[in-house]
Amino acid sequence: MTETTVGIGGAAESTDMVLNIGPQHPSTHGVLRLRLVLDGERIRHAEPVIGYMHRGAEKLFEARDYRQIIMLANRHDWLSAFSNELGVVLGVERMLGMEVPERAVWTRTLLAELNRVLNHLMFLGSYPLELGGITPVFYAFREREELQTVMEEVSGGRMHYMFNRVGGLKEDLPAGWLGRARHTVAQVRSRMGVFDDLVLGNEIFRGRTRGIGVLSQEAVHAYGVSGPIARASGVDFDLRRDEPYLAYGELRDTLRVVTREEGDCLARFECLLDQSHNSLDLADACLDRLAELPPGPINQRLPKVLKAPEGATYAWTENPLGINGYYLVSKGEKTPYRLKLRSASYNNIQALTELLPGTLVADMVAILGSLFFVVGDIDK
């Protein structure tokens, strides 16, 4: 067989096209820029260019006391606000050697899992939308509204909860809230099957995602990828099981770490969906435990001026999008000397340099959307 290459003038046969997608573009999930080098319709090189949303949160941490930094930590991944707060307060409590009341531990675990479902529902609805399926996003937002109503009642906030405090939580649960939360969890669980039927059962969706954007285990380790994306490539790691915090050590029988071996876009979506089901089970287990606990405090009384002792610690948590870590350095003052944030999306997005080369431009959106990132979590 003989192949013939036909030129279209000038140096067209030897010239690559450099295409900038973003930073303002419908396909870039916000303020992200992708610099692509194309050979026809095939991507030869890809470079994610970040920093367009950078707000300098790490420097702002150094000018706020330990109560105020919770507000800043709350916002970098705006879909996982409760989990972001959690990492900060766990780090400060570790520095102080503080033991948190049992009711606060179980309530934190419950709210963290509800927040995980809220995060995943956003991507379960928006990812099919990016591939041309508009209906799933309406179902996803219906379930999100149910859960957000519960979270808003307990905390006062719909997205930025500001409910964690060093030593526990802001205040106790409203009367009757546990029953309303249990009803909401049951309602959401009863309707989650729509994503299996409407999305996973759709042959067009499967055709656009199966075998596309395969991420190897070696690349996962090389780029520090974590969360559902890493587990979709067969990396069986979850801090809730492997280094338990909060009440996860007592939830081993309920906690199920969802993995896949394929490492493609479809596997990443399946991991997200299965993990949502398990988070609802964990929420039920927490509700059962809270119903058994006797009345008691939900936080520790703190001094008017809170100072962490001199030293350093690292607190990491299994956030919805992956590993979220805070490296806290204290000089014994009321503000952190240094608070370094290790966000999940920052590492996960770097894998695009591995995933996009060799693929078609038409598959770029499918691969980009399957990384389930939040731009604020990249730029912090």
Side-chain angles (χ1 to χ4, degrees), residues 4 12 22-23 34 42 88 103 118 127 132 160 174 178 223 228 240 275 291-292 305 311 314 335 338 370 375:
T4 304
L34 289 177
R42 200 164 291 276
V88 170
R103 281 174 56 78
L118 274 169
Y127 186 47
H160 301 295
L178 290 177
Y223 287 95
R240 297 174 296 170
Q275 193 166 285
E292 297 169 358
V305 178
Y314 182 67
T335 62
R338 181 78 170 93
S370 73
V375 177

Side-chain angles (χ1 to χ4, degrees), residues 119-139:
N119 175 290
H120 291 354
L121 280 169
M122 175 62 79
F123 293 109
L124 291 173
S126 66
Y127 186 47
L129 179 65
E130 290 155 9
L131 300 180
I134 191 172
T135 308
V137 76
F138 296 117
Y139 288 104

Side-chain angles (χ1 to χ4, degrees), residues 62-222:
E62 299 171 13
R64 307 290 193 280
D65 67 31
Y66 289 107
R67 292 179 175 90
Q68 295 168 330
I69 60 174
I70 297 172
M71 179 274 295
L72 290 170
N74 188 288
R75 284 163 162 73
H76 57 87
D77 174 3
W78 47 78
L79 295 177
S80 311
F82 188 87
S83 302
N84 299 342
E85 301 171 14
L86 199 53
V88 170
V89 296
L90 289 175
V92 179
E93 288 163 2
R94 187 178 299 170
M95 294 279 283
L96 293 166
M98 180 181 289
E99 188 172 340
V100 176
E102 189 177 12
R103 281 174 56 78
V105 171
W106 282 95
T107 306
R108 281 177 172 179
T109 310
L110 167 62
L111 296 176
E113 290 306 313
L114 292 179
N115 193 198
R116 192 181 309 275
V117 180
L118 274 169
N119 175 290
H120 291 354
L121 280 169
M122 175 62 79
F123 293 109
L124 291 173
S126 66
Y127 186 47
L129 179 65
E130 290 155 9
L131 300 180
I134 191 172
T135 308
V137 76
F138 296 117
Y139 288 104
F141 267 82
R142 180 183 64 182
E143 310 313 329
R144 276 178 55 83
E145 284 297 317
E146 295 271 351
L147 290 169
Q148 278 186 311
T149 299
V150 168
M151 296 290 281
E152 183 180 13
E153 183 187 357
V154 75
S155 67
R158 286 181 62 77
M159 287 189 69
H160 301 295
Y161 307 109
M162 281 299 295
F163 197 52
N164 276 291
R165 295 293 185 272
V166 176
L169 295 167
K170 176 186 172 187
E171 56 197 8
D172 209 341
L173 304 174
W177 183 84
L178 290 177
R180 290 188 288 276
R182 188 184 297 277
H183 175 73
T184 297
V185 169
Q187 288 291 100
V188 172
R189 179 189 286 107
S190 70
R191 297 191 292 254
M192 287 294 286
V194 72
F195 295 101
D196 290 285
D197 301 334
L198 198 62
V199 183
L200 289 180
N202 186 296
E203 60 185 69
I204 298 175
F205 178 83
R206 299 183 76 86
R208 289 289 307 274
T209 56
R210 187 195 288 116
I212 303 299
V214 177
L215 184 65
S216 66
Q217 287 192 23
E218 293 75 20
V220 166
H221 295 305

Side-chain angles (χ1 to χ4, degrees), residues 228 231-232 238 256-260 270-272 274-275 278:
R231 291 192 284 274
D238 190 313
R256 182 169 57 90
V257 179
V258 180
T259 60
R260 292 288 188 277
E270 288 176 340
C271 272
L272 213 65
D274 285 355
Q275 193 166 285
N278 187 237

